[in-house]
Amino acid sequence: MVRNLPFILFFIFFTLSCDTDEGQNQGYEPTPVNIAVPAIFSQLLPAPEIPANNPLTEEGVALGRALFFEKKLSADNTLSCAGCHKPNEGFSDQRRYSVGIDGIPGFRNSMPLINIAWNTKNKFNWDGSASSLQEQVLEPVVNEIEMHNTWPNVVATLENDATYLTKFEQAFGSPTISKELAAKALSQFIRTLVSGNSKFDNYLLNQATLTPLEQQGLAVFLDENRGDCFHCHGSPSNPLWTDNDFHNNGLDENFTDLGLGDITGDPAQFGLFKSPSLRNLAFTAPYMHDGRFQTLDQVINHYSEGLVFSPTIDPLMKTVAQGGVQLTLQDKAALKAFLLSLSDPSLANNPGYQNPN
Amino acid sequence: MLKPPIFLLLLLTSFVGCNTTDDSPQKALVSINFSHSFNQQTLNSNNFNALQYTNAFGTTLSFSKLRYLISEISFTNQQGIKTLVKDYQLVDLGEDTGLFIDDILLPEGTYLLSMRFGFTEITNTSNVYPDLNAASWNVPEMLGGGYHYMQMEGRFLDLNNEEFIYAYHTISAVQNPGPENTREDTSIALNLGEITISQDQTQINVTMDIDQWFENPNLWDLNTLNGMLMGNYTAQKMMQENGQTVFSLDTSMGN
C-alpha cells in the first residue's frame, strides 16, 4: 500500500488539477464547430482567435444564440441583446441611443457585433472597457440603463425554464446554470457573427465588378493626400476594415465623453474611441460613438471640412489645421459609393443569426 | 513480461550505452531585446505622450506610437555559416509587443548579428503576411504596395510654440504615386557587429537611438516634414539615410 502511495497521490493531484467547471459531466463532449471563415479572410487574415477554455461547439453556439435573443435576461423580460444589436441593422441599432427597460436612453450608439473573432487586441466597447468578450457580454445585463437586472436573478429565471436546463447540459455537460457559462455561450455565438460577403469582398475574389465611381472612391480612400482612411480603417489587404484601435478623430474641441481616457484615467487618452469597422454602413447609421451623424454624407463632410483640434487629436488627422482633407464633390460621391460597397446584405438573412426562441 | 522497473532500467541503459562522443559546442538559449532611447534617455510606453524630448533641430516632441518592422534576423558564425532565427518581427513599443525574440538556441561561440529594418524588395510583397495585414501594416498599391517599415507618431511644439502632430512613416520610397508608380527599396541592412554567445551571455540588447531619425545626416524639421510623407520620395530617401545610424548593439549585455 505504501509502495503505491506516489501513484495514489499523483492520481489525486491529476484529478484535482483538471478544469472542473462546476457540475460538468467529465465524460460528455459537445460537438466541435468552426467559424464559417469567408474566402477573402482565409486568403488575407490569420485564423480567428478562439480562447482555449471556450471552444466553439454546436450546442454552445445554439445556447448562446438562444440567450442572445432571450428577453428574460432583462429585469422585466422586455429586452434582449438583439434588442440593441439587430441582425437587420448590422447587429447595431439605427436609433442614436438604444433605450433600456426603464425608458432611459444610453449615451453612445450601439456598436456593431461582427467579426469579433478577429479582434486580436481584445479591447471591447467604444471605450475599451472590457478586456475580453466574456467580460463584455456580462455588463449589459447589469447596466442600470440597459437590462437593469442582476446575474443571480437571470440564473434563477433560466433555472425555472426546462428548455435552458437542457440547453446548458447539452452545451457544457451539466444542467447547472451560471453567469460564467452563460457568458461563454453568448461569446461562442457572437464569435460566429461573421460578415464577409459584400460586393467588395466579391470584387477581391474576382466575382464582382466595381463601378467606375466605386473604383474612384477606393482610390480616394487609399490616397494619403485625399481620404487617407486606410491607416485606421483597413484596406483591401485588411478586410476587417478597422484597426481595432483607439483614436481621437477630431470631433470635438472639448470632451463631454472621455472614452478610453475615462477607463484608463490617462489624459493622453481623453476623447479616444475605438475605430469601428466600415462594413455594413448601409445598415448601421447613425455614425460615430455618439451617433451624431445621421448620414454617410455627414461623416465624409466631417473628415473633409469638419476636423477640430484638441490636445489628444490623433497624429493621423494630418490635415486638422486645414479642417480636413478638403475633398471635392466628386471625391465625396466616389468615396461614399465605395464605402457602401463594403456592406453585406446577406448578413441580415443568415439563418444562423435569426431568433430561435 | 518484464516488470516496469526492469524495463525502465533497460531503457535507461540503452540510452547511456549509446556512443555520445560529441565535439560540438554546448548550446545556449538566447533572447534579443529591442530597447529605445532618445539622447540617452530611455523611451518606453510609460513615457509616451510626454513632450520632453528635443531633437537636433531644437524641436520639442513626444511619442504616441512607435511600430517598426525588423526582418532577416540572423547570426553568422566564424565559419561564415548564417543562421536565420526569425523572418520578421513587428515591434510595437506602445503596445509592449514584439520587444523580445526569445528561445533562440545557438551553439556557444562568436557571431555577427545582422538584421534588416523593413523588408527587401523581394520580401515586401503585398498581402503575404496575414498577421501584418490584420495589424493594418499594409501600404496601398498606389504608394508601392507591400508593408510599412515604421510608424512613428506624436506631437511637437511648432515655431509658434503650439502643439502640432507628426506622422513619420517609412516605406519603400515611391516615385509617381498612383497606378504607374515605381518603388525603390529603402530598407536598411543592419550589421550590428560581433557578439559572443555563451551560457553567461544570453541576452542581446538592440537599441534604437530615436534621435538619429531626426539628425544624421539630414537635420529634420518637423515644422515642414510632419505628415503626408509616404508618397514623398525625397523624404523617404532622407529617412533611409538617417536610419543608417539608428540601431546599435548594446554591449552591456548580460544573462
Side-chain angles (χ1 to χ4, degrees):
Chain A
M1 182 65 187
V2 173
R3 202 173 53 174
N4 291 332
L5 190 59
F7 295 100
I8 294 168
L9 287 174
F10 176 77
F11 178 75
I12 292 171
F13 174 77
F14 181 78
T15 307
L16 289 177
S17 67
C18 288
D19 183 2
T20 55
D21 276 341
E22 55 179 304
Q24 279 186 245
N25 178 351
Q26 292 303 309
Y28 174 76
E29 289 291 341
T31 315
V33 67
N34 292 319
I35 289 177
V37 178
I40 195 65
F41 287 24
S42 297
Q43 288 183 18
L44 295 171
L45 296 175
E49 284 199 357
I50 308 297
N53 66 356
N54 192 26
L56 264 63
T57 65
E58 283 182 13
E59 297 82 357
V61 171
L63 171 60
R65 181 175 159 195
L67 291 171
F68 188 83
F69 287 93
E70 182 54 75
K71 292 181 179 177
K72 289 177 188 171
L73 294 190
S74 64
D76 65 354
N77 301 333
T78 61
L79 184 62
S80 68
C81 306
C84 304
H85 297 279
K86 305 167 186 170
N88 62 345
E89 296 178 14
F91 284 93
S92 178
D93 192 340
Q94 291 184 353
R95 293 171 293 182
R96 179 174 183 181
Y97 303 130
S98 304
V99 179
I101 66 166
D102 301 316
I104 303 170
F107 59 98
R108 291 186 188 136
N109 187 236
S110 166
M111 277 207 98
L113 297 178
I114 50 117
N115 301 336
I116 298 286
W118 285 269
N119 179 2
T120 53
K121 290 187 183 287
N122 277 316
K123 291 289 181 189
F124 297 88
N125 297 325
W126 284 109
D127 57 8
S129 55
S131 298
S132 72
L133 184 54
Q134 276 174 236
E135 182 186 339
Q136 195 282 326
V137 299
L138 290 171
E139 202 275 336
V141 170
V142 298
N143 187 300
E144 293 183 359
I145 295 177
E146 298 178 35
M147 295 180 174
H148 204 172
N149 206 347
T150 67
W151 271 104
N153 192 45
V154 171
V155 170
T157 304
L158 297 178
E159 283 173 340
N160 284 325
D161 186 329
T163 308
Y164 276 109
L165 293 173
T166 303
K167 284 183 179 295
F168 272 84
E169 183 160 23
Q170 290 171 337
F172 298 111
S174 164
T176 303
I177 295 176
S178 68
K179 75 172 187 180
E180 289 78 14
L181 292 180
K184 281 190 170 183
L186 279 164
S187 301
Q188 286 189 40
F189 172 64
I190 291 170
R191 288 194 176 96
T192 69
L193 303 178
V194 175
S195 180
N197 188 30
S198 67
K199 178 180 181 181
F200 194 81
D201 294 318
N202 292 317
Y203 161 74
L204 291 177
L205 295 167
N206 295 317
Q207 295 168 1
T209 306
L210 295 186
T211 66
L213 193 63
E214 290 165 340
Q215 288 178 343
Q216 290 168 31
L218 173 61
V220 173
F221 185 93
L222 296 173
D223 189 338
E224 195 185 22
N225 295 309
R226 289 192 287 172
D228 193 14
C229 315
F230 63 90
H231 279 110
C232 303
H233 283 294
S235 67
S237 303
N238 175 8
L240 298 174
W241 300 101
T242 174
D243 62 356
N244 279 314
D245 212 343
F246 297 83
H247 304 273
N248 170 356
N249 61 343
L251 289 168
D252 299 302
E253 289 181 340
N254 301 296
F255 309 123
T256 53
D257 183 347
L258 297 180
L260 178 64
D262 200 29
I263 304 303
T264 64
D266 183 351
Q269 295 176 329
F270 286 178
L272 273 62
F273 294 90
K274 190 173 183 180
S275 314
S277 172
L278 298 182
R279 287 184 173 275
N280 303 316
L281 295 174
F283 318 120
T284 58
Y287 308 105
M288 304 293 158
H289 66 277
D290 55 5
R292 70 178 63 187
F293 298 135
Q294 292 295 318
T295 67
L296 213 42
D297 297 302
Q298 290 173 321
V299 174
I300 292 170
N301 287 340
H302 164 70
Y303 287 110
S304 182
E305 300 102 27
L307 297 183
V308 293
F309 188 87
S310 60
T312 61
I313 184 100
D314 197 285
L316 293 168
M317 299 292 113
K318 300 163 194 165
T319 54
V320 64
Q322 295 78 46
V325 292
Q326 309 295 322
L327 297 177
T328 64
L329 288 175
Q330 175 67 18
D331 282 347
K332 289 180 180 180
L335 183 57
K336 181 180 176 183
F338 161 69
L339 291 173
L340 290 172
S341 78
L342 301 174
S343 291
D344 174 1
S346 67
L347 183 71
N349 301 318
N350 187 319
Y353 302 161
Q354 309 305 312
N355 186 351
N357 300 327
Chain B
M1 185 177 171
L2 292 172
K3 290 179 180 176
I6 297 172
F7 170 72
L8 287 174
L9 195 63
L10 285 175
L11 188 67
L12 192 64
T13 308
S14 71
F15 277 115
V16 173
C18 289
N19 183 356
T20 57
T21 305
D22 188 353
D23 295 332
S24 58
Q26 273 196 307
K27 289 190 173 180
L29 208 52
V30 178
S31 68
I32 298 174
N33 171 34
F34 293 95
S35 61
H36 308 82
S37 67
F38 195 104
N39 289 340
Q40 314 299 323
Q41 282 181 271
T42 297
L43 178 71
N44 56 42
S45 57
N46 293 326
N47 39 37
F48 263 30
N49 298 303
L51 270 167
Q52 63 180 24
Y53 305 95
T54 303
N55 67 16
F57 191 82
T59 304
T60 301
L61 71 157
S62 69
F63 301 89
S64 59
K65 178 184 284 186
L66 179 56
R67 304 201 289 174
Y68 58 94
L69 187 120
I70 296 292
S71 66
E72 298 178 353
I73 300 142
S74 306
F75 290 81
T76 304
N77 69 14
Q78 291 184 307
Q79 288 73 47
I81 299 170
K82 187 181 238 186
T83 303
L84 176 71
V85 297
K86 192 149 192 200
D87 288 330
Y88 65 89
Q89 173 102 345
L90 181 61
V91 180
D92 188 334
L93 186 58
E95 296 285 327
D96 290 321
T97 57
L99 296 173
F100 296 92
I101 302 175
D102 291 322
D103 299 331
I104 304 167
L105 192 61
L106 287 173
E108 291 184 329
T110 300
Y111 295 86
L112 292 172
L113 175 61
S114 64
M115 46 188 82
R116 178 173 294 277
F117 174 76
F119 280 130
T120 62
E121 187 63 19
I122 292 171
T123 54
N124 194 16
T125 306
S126 296
N127 298 340
V128 300
Y129 308 105
D131 58 329
L132 299 182
N133 296 340
S136 285
W137 195 241
N138 316 84
V139 172
E141 294 303 317
M142 67 173 60
L143 289 169
Y147 295 86
H148 281 79
Y149 296 169
M150 181 172 73
Q151 294 176 339
M152 179 162 62
E153 299 170 9
R155 288 159 218 293
F156 68 97
L157 294 178
D158 68 14
L159 296 173
N160 299 317
N161 214 32
E162 292 179 352
E163 281 190 34
F164 200 63
I165 49 182
Y166 71 89
Y168 188 114
H169 288 198
T170 65
I171 62 173
S172 275
V174 64
Q175 301 215 35
N176 305 315
E180 306 299 324
N181 68 75
T182 53
R183 197 172 80 175
E184 182 177 326
D185 184 352
T186 41
S187 65
I188 301 170
L190 306 173
N191 295 308
L192 295 169
E194 198 170 84
I195 181 164
T196 300
I197 304 287
S198 71
Q199 299 291 330
D200 300 324
Q201 191 73 67
T202 57
Q203 182 171 313
I204 300 167
N205 292 317
V206 175
T207 300
M208 176 194 263
D209 297 313
I210 299 165
D211 46 281
Q212 292 296 301
W213 286 115
F214 300 100
E215 182 172 349
N216 182 26
N218 303 297
L219 194 60
W220 198 274
D221 180 4
L222 282 172
N223 296 285
T224 55
L225 290 170
N226 52 55
M228 309 294 187
L229 302 179
M230 292 175 69
N232 183 335
Y233 176 84
T234 305
Q236 291 298 326
K237 293 292 287 183
M238 289 167 64
M239 291 167 171
Q240 184 199 27
E241 289 166 2
N242 283 7
Q244 303 293 326
T245 52
V246 161
F247 291 91
S248 61
L249 191 62
D250 182 351
T251 52
S252 60
M253 300 169 294
N255 61 356

